[in-house]
Amino acid sequence: MRQWWVLVLAVLAMCAVYSAVPRLTLTFTARHVPLDPPGDSLVEDTFHVTEGIEVRKQLLPTTKGVSFRPAYLAVGIRVDQGGLLYGTPQRSGTYVAPIRLCAGQSCQEQRLTLIVYGNVPWEPRELTFPGRAGIPLNDEIGINGGPTAVVPTFTVTDRARLPSGVTIGPDGHVGGVPAAAGISEVPVRICVAGNCAGVVVRLIVV
């Protein structure tokens, strides 16, 4: 009689193991996220920075659930597990370095290009713009100096300061049609290969 109960318990235990295996397999499969083809894993893979200027940029993968293998990219620059590109570049030049992106059990390499420019001073070329209410504006902030072949970027840090109808684009273009007369002082952040400074753009509309 005891042997019969032992046999019954053994059969029940085997059934429990077999019923658990499919669930474990499904769980593993659901957590596996395929990566994009090589070269397409990041929204941006080229970065322009300046020697001696601190860098903090977030790498943006095109697939959710991706982690990074920490690695050095250039002298003074590395990437952490969360995809943060950080550090202070110590030497100018162009650096091409592989990083590894992983999703589930799949990993692949993506090459990053880091262009480090020498620290060349720059200054804004024009910060005051006159205009007339109801007449379109067509001006540009621009800069003098800085490394050659680098396109500066312009960011309005307080858009509420812009007069109604006026815009300042990421390329420094001042446009739009002023709705009313007045004087406005608009804070703008200008960056040239990671070398950034805040300025105030004055718009005088009569």
Side-chain angles (χ1 to χ4, degrees):
M1 187 70 173
R2 179 177 300 175
Q3 292 179 347
W4 184 82
W5 278 108
V6 170
L7 180 61
V8 170
L9 291 175
V11 171
L12 291 175
M14 291 178 63
C15 291
V17 169
Y18 281 119
S19 63
V21 169
R23 287 197 295 271
L24 291 174
T25 304
L26 288 174
T27 301
F28 175 80
T29 304
R31 297 182 63 182
H32 174 75
V33 181
L35 288 169
D36 290 329
D40 297 327
S41 300
L42 294 175
V43 174
E44 184 180 4
D45 60 7
T46 300
F47 299 91
H48 300 263
V49 298
T50 297
E51 181 181 352
I53 303 294
E54 183 181 7
V55 176
R56 289 186 69 85
K57 293 181 178 291
Q58 184 64 47
L59 302 181
L60 300 176
T62 56
T63 303
K64 293 183 179 180
V66 171
S67 62
F68 296 79
R69 295 287 176 86
Y72 284 98
L73 303 179
V75 180
I77 298 293
R78 64 175 300 164
V79 63
D80 68 9
Q81 186 174 4
L84 179 66
L85 184 71
Y86 69 96
T88 303
Q90 302 297 320
R91 190 178 304 159
S92 59
T94 299
Y95 302 86
V96 179
I99 60 170
R100 290 186 66 81
L101 297 85
C102 297
Q105 300 298 311
S106 299
C107 294
Q108 71 176 36
E109 283 193 354
Q110 166 83 48
R111 290 188 176 274
L112 283 186
T113 301
L114 195 67
I115 303 175
V116 183
Y117 297 93
N119 197 332
V120 180
W122 62 267
E123 62 182 6
R125 186 167 58 239
E126 183 60 63
L127 293 176
T128 301
F129 302 97
R132 296 179 65 87
I135 305 299
L137 289 170
N138 186 22
D139 290 302
E140 183 180 89
I141 299 175
I143 66 166
N144 290 324
T148 59
V150 177
V151 178
T153 59
F154 303 81
T155 305
V156 176
T157 56
D158 186 355
R159 304 196 70 83
R161 299 284 189 91
L162 281 168
S164 178
V166 176
T167 61
I168 297 178
D171 57 354
H173 180 258
V174 181
V177 180
I183 298 176
S184 302
E185 293 186 339
V186 184
V188 175
R189 184 172 176 81
I190 306 175
C191 291
V192 183
N195 187 1
C196 303
V199 300
V200 175
V201 174
R202 175 171 289 187
L203 298 165
I204 302 174
V205 180
V206 298

